[in-house]
Amino acid sequence: MPIPLGVLAVAGAGGGAAASNAYEQLESVILTGTQATISFSNLNSTYGSTYQHLQFRMLLRTNRAGQNQDTGIFTFNSNTSGYANHFLYGYNGAVTSAASVSQARIEFAISISGAGQTANAFSAHIMDVLDAFETTKNTTVRTFGGVMGTTSTQGITELQSGFWNNTAAIDSITFDAIGDFIAGSRVSLYGLRSA
Amino acid sequence: MPTATYIALANTTLTSAASSVTFSSIPATYRDLVLVVTYNSVNEFILAEFNADSGNNYPFVEMWANGTGPANSGTGTVSGAYIGYSAQNVQQQGIIHIMDYSATDKHKTCLARSGAGFSLAAVASRWTNTNAITSVKVKAQLGNFAIGNTFALYGIVS
């Protein structure tokens, strides 16, 4: 027997799961045209005294020609050294684990939709940057992402972890790819307050 | 200006077995939906059907492991966005993120993670439709959800 619920209650500010406003949207970029990179800046100066962690929620697609998937790239504070990555992903019937150190950026391995992906299929990515503004620890990120197109070579699900060997507070982040991001791509930034 | 963002929309705990639970009249107010489900059922898929579309319009790619061998990956198409796979008589939990659910310029990509003490899975799926989602039916593919299973829907503000 199915049970219809409707949407029984909408808890606004101060209610339900958001009673303490602990999780808040800070900024959002939604592309209306093609753009090479998507950036957020002045993060520490604007949010560092209020929020403990950051979360980026993304739907992405690039114009990388002839490719079902594109490689996502991002850097902190315009810095291009001291990064490491680890990927665990399911793609084309196999599970693959890969790692890289001493990199110039953090990557999402081939999990962003490219021009060859099924039409209207954007890849989704949820990335957590914990203790983003602490200066007593290096920066660690983790990401869950993926997309499923029509064929087995158009589908990937990925767990990624990244590391920046730098204790600086995060003040900016720039997302890039081999191709350019197309209209409809969006990156939304959320902040999580400490207790 | 920061605003409260992670909003509890509706939830229920089953007091009798049920084949599905439906969240309807979902407004287009939010950016993403998050559905949290604890479930146990027979050996079957636990799925989220959108806007009463029960066709095989939800391709998925999964990565899963159960400790008996290497991790596995595969693809398929089912009649709802993949939340998890229920093993009989074992309570499990799944969280599915339904991204840009009200957008009309893209198909609906979903990310789900699920598991219990003996297995886990990470899945990406897609509803092959550009319509805004206004209802979500959480269903057990073959049998019923059990008493005590819980279903909670959250909206993440745009």
Side-chain angles (χ1 to χ4, degrees):
Chain A
M1 173 72 71
I3 297 178
L5 290 186
V7 176
L8 300 179
V10 177
S20 62
N21 294 352
Y23 183 95
E24 296 174 331
Q25 180 180 293
L26 305 181
E27 303 178 31
S28 192
V29 173
I30 304 171
L31 298 187
T32 57
T34 301
Q35 189 165 303
T37 62
I38 298 173
S39 297
F40 297 83
S41 58
N42 300 314
L43 297 177
N44 188 36
S45 56
T46 307
Y47 307 118
S49 61
T50 306
Y51 300 96
Q52 190 69 29
H53 312 299
L54 300 177
Q55 182 177 84
F56 293 88
R57 302 179 68 88
M58 299 174 265
L59 276 172
L60 302 171
R61 188 173 175 121
T62 76
N63 60 5
R64 186 182 181 190
Q67 299 294 321
N68 296 331
Q69 274 80 242
D70 199 345
T71 296
I73 301 162
F74 63 93
T75 55
F76 294 119
N77 297 3
S78 300
N79 192 288
T80 56
S81 66
Y83 299 97
N85 305 280
H86 191 280
F87 319 102
L88 180 67
Y89 60 88
Y91 170 73
N92 198 21
V95 175
T96 300
S97 172
S100 58
V101 298
S102 301
Q103 298 295 296
R105 71 276 184 103
I106 296 180
E107 298 181 0
F108 304 148
I110 61 162
S111 61
I112 295 180
S113 292
Q117 179 57 264
T118 300
N120 299 310
F122 284 66
S123 56
H125 312 266
I126 301 173
M127 185 174 83
D128 295 317
V129 185
L130 304 182
D131 287 350
F133 307 115
E134 295 281 346
T135 56
T136 59
K137 57 190 73 167
N138 298 316
T139 300
T140 301
V141 306
R142 64 169 195 171
T143 306
F144 174 32
V147 62
M148 180 60 198
T150 306
T151 67
S152 62
T153 57
Q154 292 178 319
I156 182 169
T157 179
E158 178 190 24
L159 299 173
Q160 177 265 2
S161 66
F163 170 75
W164 183 35
N165 191 16
N166 194 308
T167 59
I170 301 301
D171 197 50
S172 69
I173 182 168
T174 298
F175 295 95
D176 198 350
I178 297 175
D180 295 337
F181 299 111
I182 67 170
S185 297
R186 66 104 171 172
V187 180
S188 299
L189 171 62
Y190 298 86
L192 283 80
R193 294 177 182 251
S194 55
Chain B
M1 174 69 73
T3 57
T5 300
Y6 210 111
I7 308 298
L9 300 183
N11 66 84
T12 190
T13 301
L14 295 184
T15 56
S16 60
S19 61
S20 65
V21 170
T22 299
F23 299 90
S24 57
S25 303
I26 299 172
T29 312
Y30 307 97
R31 174 64 63 186
D32 303 327
L33 297 175
V34 181
L35 179 62
V36 181
V37 183
T38 62
Y39 54 88
N40 57 345
S41 185
V42 298
N43 295 331
E44 59 182 338
F45 286 106
I46 306 301
L47 305 171
E49 177 185 295
F50 302 138
N51 295 8
D53 179 2
S54 60
N56 282 338
N57 298 318
Y58 306 81
F60 69 88
V61 53
E62 63 175 341
M63 178 171 59
W64 61 272
N66 62 9
T68 61
N72 297 275
S73 180
T75 58
T77 303
V78 285
S79 61
Y82 186 131
I83 298 174
Y85 190 88
S86 177
Q88 193 158 7
N89 297 323
V90 178
Q91 181 151 312
Q92 300 154 84
Q93 56 185 251
I95 300 176
I96 182 169
H97 298 259
I98 307 165
M99 308 290 283
D100 267 16
Y101 73 99
S102 63
T104 57
D105 62 347
K106 52 178 71 81
H107 291 173
K108 307 308 179 287
T109 297
C110 303
L111 300 177
R113 295 180 69 180
S114 61
F118 60 91
S119 70
L120 55 87
V123 183
S125 61
R126 176 174 58 95
W127 183 39
T128 60
N129 196 305
T130 57
N131 288 341
I133 292 173
T134 58
S135 72
V136 177
K137 178 181 178 181
V138 188
K139 63 185 183 182
Q141 188 184 31
L142 300 174
N144 288 327
F145 293 111
I147 295 171
N149 286 176
T150 63
F151 308 80
L153 182 67
Y154 301 88
I156 297 183
V157 170
S158 173

